[in-house]
Every structure is written in structure tokens, then in C-alpha cells.
Amino acid sequence: MEVHIMMRGEGVNEEYAFLGGEPQEEWWSAYADLVDWNTTGGCVHSRDGVWSMYLTPIPSGRRDARDRLREFKLALAGDSGHGETMEVALPLLGLWLEETLGARCPSRLGEAFSEAFPDEAISRLRGCHDGASRREMTGRFKEAVRQLDLVPYAPRELEAESADGLPGTWAGHLDRQRDRRSFLDRAARLLEGAEEGAAVVAGLMYASDAAGGFANCAPLEELRGRWPGSRVSLLVQPHQRPVAQPRPTAPAADTASGSEATQGKAGAASETGTSGPTPRSRFRQRGAGPRRNLRRAVWSCAILTALMAVIVVLTVLALT
């Protein structure tokens, strides 16, 4: 089984980086329209006898110099049905679902990973891609798994999907334990190779989307296009999709006062018997600019003359 772990450093500018090597591609970014990977998200997908899994966050209880949380992000991959797949990957997913989405405390995952990856090791492994660093990271991951003492999970028979939903798509609420259990059963079929498809903890999808049969849901339609004929399982937010707030407009009172002011100016002009500037006023406006420039020039010459006089007087005194 292939393992990759990301962690943020302690320093001000030490952003997330892989420990001991990085994967060939960050495949989970393809699900960015369904999951906000900066918060909480998980994904399993399987095709052609190979599966991949990505889980975030695994808490560490640590913060960096800017008081930002430092959490583990775990990426796994392997062959479907392999011993480690069912004995490690599947129980890890089940434990993560209950601790992260079910808010089970304290976090056994967080404690095990924090003990296996102290800050000294994280500082040494961040950004290092050599063989020795890779072996050390993998060994520390196995130590975390040993501390967890994972119990193998026995998947149940899948429940029948709703006939009015999107074909090949199942959706449950991420805050319901029975839905998380059903999600784990579906993910197990992907990991063991019984089915192909994707199981996603989709924090950017909502119960209202599922209730509407995911009609006009572009991210899901794109996902279905990438996985034609396969199953898609989703855990979604248990409430309605937030309504986008309109941009604020200028208060009506301001608009009214502006129009009143305009009307007042127009009224004053009509009272004086004119509807705009007179020829004389236009002449005054045109002449105001040149007169100001002339005054500035005169004052500049006067100041320059005074300065020259002072310099001459000082020069004479110095010579005498």
C-alpha cells in the first residue's frame, strides 16, 4: 500500500508539504467542486483494480507561529482486495468518519499520528524526497497504525437505492451515524474491487440538492461523466443550500436626497430666470484659470528674488 502524508510546519511561512515524498498526482483536486479540502473532506475512488483514498483532517492539536491549526492529511493507494486494503485502509476510513464527522472525542487517530510524527521528525521530513526519508515516513505511519490496533470491518449488504434519485447515485447526511455506516459499506465495495466508482464526503453538497435529485448539479454531472456507468456515493450537508445574498445597493434615502438636491438647483435656476450659466459667467469661468496661474508665477518670482538677495548678502559678508 502506498502512503503519503502532508503536514504544515511550525514557521510563519511553512505551508503544507508532503513528508518523505509526494504522489505522482494530487488526484483529489478533481473533486474540488464537491469538497472544500481546506476544511473537512474525504474521498475513495476505484477503477481497474486500483483504489485511492484521501482524508483530511487528522488533528494534531498543534499550531504554527501564526496560530493556524496544523493537521495531518493522509493519501493512500493500493490494489483492490489486498490484505492491507481491508485490514488497514477500510478500518482507518471508518474510524475517521466517526471521529471527524461524528465528533467522537478524544481522537485516537490524532493521538496516534501525533505520537508517531513529533515536530522534530516533521521538520526533517517536510519536502524531502529521498529514499531514506520515504522509508522513515512509511515506518512512522505503520507505527501509528500499530498504536490504533484497528479492528477489521465487515461490510453489510447494501440497501436498495431510492427509485426517484439520480441513477447510480446514493446520498446520505454526514451527521447521521446510519448514513455514515452505509457510506462505509459502499466504500468497502470500492476497496475490495466489487465495484468501480467514487465515494465522497461532499461538504459542498446539501440535502436540498439530494432532495431535488441533483438536478442541474454541474459538479456531479461532471463526476458522472468521468465515471460512466459506475456508482457514486455522497455524504452531504444535512440542511438547505445557502441562498446567495444579493449585493447591497445604495439606500433609497440617499437617492431621494440626491434627487431633491438636483430639483432644488433646478428650481433656483428657474427662479433667476435662467436655465444655465450666462455668457458673462462662462467668461469668468474661462478666465479664472489663467489668473490663478499668473498669481502663482508672480509669487514664485518674488520668492526667488528674495532668496537671491539673501545669497548675495551672505556672500558679501563672507568676503569681508
Side-chain angles (χ1 to χ4, degrees):
M1 185 171 64
E2 188 176 340
V3 182
H4 293 95
I5 297 174
M6 275 199 293
M7 181 55 157
R8 175 181 276 151
E10 297 179 87
V12 173
N13 296 317
E14 294 183 358
E15 300 298 337
Y16 279 100
F18 286 99
L19 310 181
E22 58 188 27
Q24 293 182 353
E25 62 172 342
E26 296 185 9
W27 57 266
W28 52 90
S29 62
Y31 298 87
D33 290 331
L34 297 171
V35 187
D36 180 0
W37 294 119
N38 293 319
T39 55
T40 298
C43 181
V44 178
H45 71 199
S46 176
R47 177 180 284 172
D48 298 330
V50 177
W51 60 267
S52 300
M53 179 190 298
Y54 184 75
L55 303 175
T56 181
I58 295 175
S60 72
R62 307 170 191 171
R63 292 181 178 270
D64 68 1
R66 294 162 61 181
D67 200 36
R68 298 178 300 176
L69 287 172
R70 300 170 58 217
E71 299 166 323
F72 296 99
K73 300 174 183 288
L74 176 64
L76 303 174
D79 296 328
S80 299
H82 190 272
E84 279 189 314
T85 299
M86 307 310 291
E87 296 171 7
V88 177
L90 182 58
L92 270 177
L93 174 61
L95 184 58
W96 180 86
L97 286 171
E98 289 309 309
E99 291 192 347
T100 304
L101 303 184
R104 180 191 292 176
C105 293
S107 171
R108 291 177 56 209
L109 275 172
E111 291 175 355
F113 273 75
S114 295
E115 186 171 341
F117 290 90
D119 277 334
E120 171 269 328
I122 291 172
S123 298
R124 185 175 62 256
L125 295 174
R126 284 182 77 256
C128 293
H129 301 167
D130 58 278
S133 298
R134 176 78 184 151
R135 288 189 294 273
E136 179 182 351
M137 183 277 297
T138 303
R140 291 182 178 277
F141 168 77
K142 291 180 178 179
E143 176 59 30
V145 170
R146 280 194 293 270
Q147 292 182 40
L148 288 169
D149 193 20
L150 297 170
V151 178
Y153 177 75
R156 305 169 302 170
E157 290 295 325
L158 298 183
E159 301 173 0
E161 295 178 359
S162 173
D164 57 357
L166 189 65
T169 302
W170 175 89
H173 293 186
L174 54 80
D175 66 336
R176 291 180 185 165
Q177 186 176 26
R178 77 169 182 273
D179 285 353
R180 295 194 298 270
R181 179 77 180 270
S182 186
F183 178 87
L184 185 59
D185 293 333
R186 286 166 165 78
R189 293 184 65 80
L190 300 178
L191 292 172
E192 66 187 5
E195 292 179 354
E196 293 187 344
V200 187
V201 179
L204 298 181
M205 302 299 291
Y206 295 84
S208 55
D209 299 322
F214 297 101
N216 301 319
C217 179
L220 187 55
E221 290 175 2
E222 182 183 349
L223 176 60
R224 300 291 316 176
R226 291 199 305 269
W227 298 85
S230 59
R231 289 184 178 271
V232 174
S233 303
L234 303 173
L235 280 178
V236 302
Q237 297 283 3
H239 44 265
Q240 301 290 310
R241 177 176 290 277
V243 178
Q245 297 296 324
R247 291 184 177 181
T249 57
D254 293 346
T255 306
S257 61
S259 61
E260 290 174 2
T262 304
Q263 292 171 1
K265 292 178 182 179
S270 61
E271 289 175 4
T272 58
T274 61
S275 58
T278 64
R280 179 175 295 180
S281 65
R282 284 197 296 269
F283 175 79
R284 289 173 181 168
Q285 291 171 1
R286 287 198 298 267
R291 285 198 298 273
R292 281 196 300 269
N293 294 336
L294 181 59
R295 284 197 297 270
R296 290 173 182 168
V298 171
W299 276 106
S300 298
C301 290
I303 293 171
L304 185 59
T305 302
L307 288 174
M308 291 297 295
V310 170
I311 292 172
V312 170
V313 171
L314 291 176
T315 303
V316 171
L317 290 176
L319 291 175
T320 57

